[in-house]
Amino acid sequence: MKRIKTLIGAALLGACAAASAADLGKSPITIISPFPPGGGTDTLTRMIGSAIAEETGWNIVVENKPGAGGNLALDATARAQPDGHTLVMAQTDNIVLNPWLYNKLSYDTFKDFKPVGPVASSPSVFVVLPESPYQSIADVVKTAKAKPNFISLGMPGVGGTGDLTGYLWRQAAGIELMHVPYRGWTQAYPDLASNRIDMYVGSVATLLSQIRGGKVRALGVVATDRSPALPDVPTFVDSGYPTINQFIWWGLMAPGKTPDDVVATLNQALRKVQAKPELVKKLEDAGYTVMSGTPADLAQRHRADHDVFGKVVRDAGIPKQ
């Protein structure tokens, strides 16, 4: 009798799980973007959300929840109902780095989130004004060696990928740059345009339209291979710095207790649209590279980069906030 009850219980649990997956799309699915409208994360979130909505018929809503380096968005996701109707567009700068940058977090970066799947990547790019005297990475290094801390580098936030990439460059080249943190590109551009800072580093996806529009000029891309969106811009590897090749990635994550079958359904929808040539081209034209894969693939990337970037943060001596 006990065995029969156990089997019935297991069957009921399976039925509940199946029902939860079947319920996807019966109410709006919110994808939280941890940054303001108009930036690279917001653009990617809306492109992916629209593609999935068109493919599945689900009602997908993008909600911008910027602040605290992405912690507000991650906290809201961790506390949401684990039913597949709340997701977050996590990225290297928050899901990976924040545990190394903040003393007290309301969430555990591994326990409170369940990976749905990798979405895309985009390398960082260093830019200057079109009339800047610095024509190449070598020009910056030459001046910086002669005048330590003379050249100022703007980046989105303290301890983010831009800050850490700048640190790795300083270490590899033996130079000193003045790091100036901003909330994002829209806050930094007025200072760059008025020559209050000399350079800025952000993702290709964020800065591509400004580069193409002639507002800024790209000096170098942080990657092993040249960006398809900027084929004429040398990489740091091209410029003689083979260890500076980290890239920014984005991935969809759900609350930690979201059922596996719900995650599998979401992953299937994501991978289906990622395989569409028209979306791939649209993303590449916007400065992204598609990263398709399983929830396990994203979990592996999350863990590996957590360890790698943690060492860089420690070596850079960046204090926790």
Side-chain angles (χ1 to χ4, degrees):
M1 187 69 172
K2 184 176 180 180
R3 176 173 169 77
I4 292 174
K5 286 182 178 179
T6 301
L7 290 172
I8 291 173
L12 287 172
L13 285 173
C16 289
S20 63
D23 285 342
L24 269 177
K26 290 187 176 179
S27 58
I29 296 174
T30 298
I31 304 179
I32 300 176
S33 172
F35 294 97
T41 299
D42 178 66
T43 299
L44 177 63
T45 305
R46 293 180 187 279
M47 290 171 70
I48 290 294
S50 295
I52 294 176
E54 184 177 344
E55 176 66 31
T56 61
W58 297 339
N59 180 13
I60 295 181
V61 178
V62 174
E63 178 184 349
N64 295 93
K65 194 177 284 291
N71 283 330
L72 296 184
L74 293 174
D75 174 69
T77 305
R79 291 186 292 103
Q81 278 291 112
D83 57 8
H85 287 85
T86 301
L87 308 173
V88 65
M89 186 62 80
Q91 70 175 106
T92 315
D93 277 81
N94 47 57
I95 199 75
V96 170
L97 286 169
N98 282 359
W100 298 108
L101 301 176
Y102 291 86
N103 275 311
K104 293 182 180 179
L105 293 177
S106 61
Y107 58 83
D108 183 292
T109 189
F110 295 110
K111 294 179 181 178
D112 291 333
F113 300 95
K114 183 168 283 188
V116 172
V119 174
S121 65
S122 183
S124 293
V125 59
F126 286 76
V127 299
V128 294
L129 290 177
E131 63 273 19
S132 169
Y134 307 117
Q135 297 295 315
S136 66
I137 295 297
D139 285 346
V140 176
V141 171
K142 182 179 179 180
T143 300
K145 283 188 173 182
K147 300 178 180 180
N149 285 314
F150 176 75
I151 297 175
S152 51
L153 170 65
M155 82 284 294
V158 175
T161 51
D163 191 10
L164 297 182
T165 299
Y167 166 78
L168 290 172
W169 182 17
R170 285 162 41 201
Q171 292 295 104
I175 59 176
E176 289 298 328
L177 302 171
M178 183 187 301
H179 284 208
V180 184
Y182 293 88
R183 289 182 61 195
W185 167 247
T186 54
Q187 289 76 33
Y189 179 67
D191 281 358
L192 181 64
S194 59
N195 292 302
R196 285 194 287 269
I197 59 173
D198 300 297
M199 291 189 301
Y200 185 81
V201 57
S203 71
V204 168
T206 297
L207 298 173
L208 186 59
S209 62
Q210 285 79 21
I211 295 170
R212 287 175 173 168
K215 286 187 174 181
V216 294
R217 175 164 47 83
L219 290 183
V221 170
V222 183
T224 53
D225 300 311
R226 296 198 179 197
S227 168
L230 297 171
D232 296 328
V233 179
T235 67
F236 269 71
V237 175
D238 294 332
S239 300
Y241 302 100
T243 59
I244 305 177
N245 54 28
Q246 294 74 19
F247 59 84
I248 302 165
W249 56 259
W250 290 263
L252 283 178
M253 292 199 175
K257 294 183 179 179
T258 305
D260 289 342
D261 69 316
V262 173
V263 169
T265 300
L266 290 164
N267 177 263
Q268 183 179 23
L270 172 62
R271 294 177 74 177
K272 192 169 184 178
V273 300
Q274 286 175 312
K276 292 181 176 294
E278 58 270 27
L279 180 62
V280 172
K281 185 179 186 307
K282 188 176 180 181
L283 288 170
E284 288 182 348
D285 287 345
Y288 306 95
T289 299
V290 170
M291 286 180 66
S292 184
T294 65
D297 291 332
L298 179 55
Q300 183 179 21
R301 168 64 65 181
H302 181 195
R303 171 60 72 179
D305 280 5
H306 175 269
D307 296 341
V308 169
F309 278 103
K311 182 179 185 306
V312 178
V313 169
R314 291 193 301 270
D315 290 347
I318 297 173
K320 283 192 173 184
Q321 300 180 40

